[in-house]
């Protein structure tokens, strides 16, 4: 009999590690490395289109967490989760918008805050019963 991921007990360390890896992938790849490569290879017009595609992917990534937190049983967890997710989303879109305007990656402070808020949002989502994938 197969057991789903949600039915299995996943360790807190695994949840923390997978949240950090997911957030690092979004922050470093989607907000800094990939736009730099696209800019150097294809130019500003393709970069703008690429950044709009990344923003759409980021909205889709955050939508499931916002939807989960809006239906959360605990209102405190819901408000904290939506606040963290929305703040991370705003910073991620701000970083991409700055890249589209200046053709340079956003400063490390924006990327660091975006990474931190995204990691906290993902961890809270997984700890309260959201998407729990093993690492």
């Amino acid at each position: 009999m197969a057991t789903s991921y949600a039915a299995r007990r996943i360790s807190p360390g695994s949840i923390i590690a997978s949240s950090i890896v997911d957030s690092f992938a979004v922050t470093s790849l989607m907000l800094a490395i990939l736009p730099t490569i696209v800019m150097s290879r294809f130019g500003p017009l393709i970069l703008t289109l690429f950044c709009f595609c990344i923003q759409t992917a980021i909205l889709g990534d955050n939508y499931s967490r916002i939807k989960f937190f809006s239906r959360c049983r605990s209102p405190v967890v819901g408000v904290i989760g939506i606040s963290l997710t929305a703040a991370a989303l705003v910073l991620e879109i701000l970083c991409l918008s700055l890249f589209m305007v200046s053709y340079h990656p956003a400063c490390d402070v924006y990327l660091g805050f975006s990474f931190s808020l995204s990691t906290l949002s993902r961890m809270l989502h997984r700890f309260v019963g959201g998407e729990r994938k093993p690492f």
Side-chain angles (χ1 to χ4, degrees), residues 54-117:
I54 290 177
Q55 286 178 350
T56 304
I58 288 172
L59 286 171
D61 180 44
N62 286 313
Y63 172 74
S64 64
R65 285 195 303 272
I66 290 175
K67 182 178 172 184
F68 175 81
F69 286 129
S70 68
R71 297 179 179 172
C72 194
R73 290 183 183 174
S74 170
V76 173
V77 172
V79 168
I80 291 171
I82 289 174
S83 300
L84 286 173
T85 305
L89 177 64
V90 166
L91 278 175
E92 289 167 353
I93 290 178
L94 178 68
C95 288
L96 276 174
S97 299
L98 288 173
F99 197 100
M100 287 191 314
V101 170
S102 67
Y103 305 123
H104 297 289
C107 72
D108 295 335
V109 174
Y110 289 126
L111 293 174
F113 279 132
S114 173
F115 172 72
S116 301
L117 290 172

Side-chain angles (χ1 to χ4, degrees), residues 29-49:
L29 285 176
M30 295 179 93
L31 299 181
I33 296 172
L34 288 177
T36 304
I37 292 171
V38 168
M39 176 61 190
S40 66
R41 300 280 292 165
F42 302 109
L45 179 62
I46 301 299
L47 171 72
T48 303
L49 295 172

Side-chain angles (χ1 to χ4, degrees), residues 109-127:
V109 174
Y110 289 126
L111 293 174
F113 279 132
S114 173
F115 172 72
S116 301
L117 290 172
S118 179
T119 302
L120 289 173
S121 171
R122 289 173 196 273
M123 276 194 268
L124 182 63
H125 178 245
R126 290 176 181 158
F127 271 119

